[in-house]
Amino acid sequence: MNTPHNSLSGVLRRWRVTPPANPNFRHAVWHRVNARVRESWPVYLRSHATAWSLAAVVMLGGAAYSGSALAQARARADREAMVVTYLVDLDPRVQAALKP
Amino acid sequence: MKYLLGTLTVLLLAAAATGFFCFRMSVDPALHAAARKGDSMEWLCADFHLSKEQFAAVKQLHDSYAPSCEEHCRVIQQATKARQALVSAASGDAAALAAAESRLVELRTSCETALTRHVRQVAAEMSPADGERYLALVLPRITNFDHLAAPDLSLNRAR
């Protein structure tokens, strides 16, 4: 007996899908994969903007302060050495003690 | 990870450049050059911003002070030797020793007074702010006489 159910089964058995081949399919897939892998630097920075901004402020501020402090310390040491040299040249009490 | 290391490297380089820039902006090369040479007059000129006229006046003051400095030095040495002779003499003349001590103190005081007068004259040739800074640097040392112990080390370091 040829019921509607048997008819549908027969149609499904005979059905063949023949989609048109996409020659760009493989390339398109790899392109999408690589796009994910190759995240750009600006994109990375934008996604970590807060942390890197904070780090930049701290590091640059610290470096600026250290540079100035180092220069001031050197100036202090130079001045200290020069005051002593100057007074040694100028002070007869020192001259008297240093001369044989 | 690659971007983290890259960003960190860039930041470190920027920090080093910033530190170097701030150091160069804050440092006084003239002062450092004077200290390296151990040249007092160059130091005065650089650190106290002396003009040519001020420098000439200060140099003249120093030159005119030099003979009196030599003379003070000579009499202090003589008085010191006299005192040493009394100390090492077996006689132990206490009165003479006290007189020698007193003479030495008197000479040192007179020397300190002359030196103080001289540095005040030098300060008067500078701008008021620089003159004050100069006096604040040298007067306490003259009064406390605390530049005797250090000079050898400092001179060795500076030269």
Side-chain angles (χ1 to χ4, degrees), chain A:
Chain A
M1 187 178 162
N2 196 8
T3 61
H5 178 75
N6 289 341
S7 163
L8 179 62
S9 298
V11 169
L12 287 176
R13 260 198 306 275
R14 284 192 302 276
W15 187 30
R16 294 285 179 271
V17 178
T18 51
N22 180 358
N24 204 33
F25 179 76
R26 184 182 293 266
H27 176 74
V29 168
W30 278 114
H31 182 74
R32 288 179 65 188
V33 169
N34 286 337
R36 275 292 171 89
V37 170
R38 269 193 274 115
E39 185 188 32
S40 68
W41 203 346
V43 171
Y44 168 79
L45 285 179
R46 269 198 295 276
S47 61
H48 299 84
T50 312
W52 281 118
S53 301
L54 197 66
V57 167
V58 169
M59 286 172 79
L60 297 183
Y65 175 78
S66 302
S68 301
L70 194 64
Q72 280 166 18
R74 192 168 85 165
R76 268 198 302 275
D78 286 342
R79 194 168 285 123
E80 191 70 15
M82 283 317 300
V83 174
V84 171
T85 305
Y86 176 65
L87 288 177
V88 165
D89 288 345
L90 216 59
D91 195 335
R93 295 171 298 175
V94 181
Q95 298 289 332
L98 291 178
K99 280 181 185 170

Side-chain angles (χ1 to χ4, degrees), chain B residues 36-104:
Chain B
R36 220 173 37 230
K37 288 186 221 164
D39 187 332
S40 307
M41 292 310 288
E42 192 178 324
W43 166 64
L44 284 180
C45 191
D47 206 13
F48 300 101
H49 317 107
L50 299 183
S51 66
K52 274 185 184 172
E53 293 75 23
Q54 287 172 318
F55 181 72
V58 167
K59 191 155 179 1
Q60 195 177 356
L61 280 172
H62 276 223
D63 291 345
S64 58
Y65 172 73
S68 92
C69 171
E70 293 265 330
E71 179 57 17
H72 275 125
C73 170
R74 194 183 60 75
V75 291
I76 288 174
Q77 271 190 317
Q78 277 179 352
T80 308
K81 278 177 189 163
R83 188 197 57 179
Q84 285 305 114
L86 284 170
V87 167
S88 52
S91 61
D93 186 346
L97 188 60
E101 282 285 356
S102 160
R103 167 80 177 139
L104 199 53

Side-chain angles (χ1 to χ4, degrees), chain A residues 86, chain B residues 44 48 119 122-123 126 130-138:
Chain A
Y86 176 65
Chain B
L44 284 180
F48 300 101
V119 295
V122 170
M126 299 175 177
D130 282 327
E132 257 179 53
R133 197 161 57 83
Y134 165 80
L135 287 178
L137 268 175
V138 297

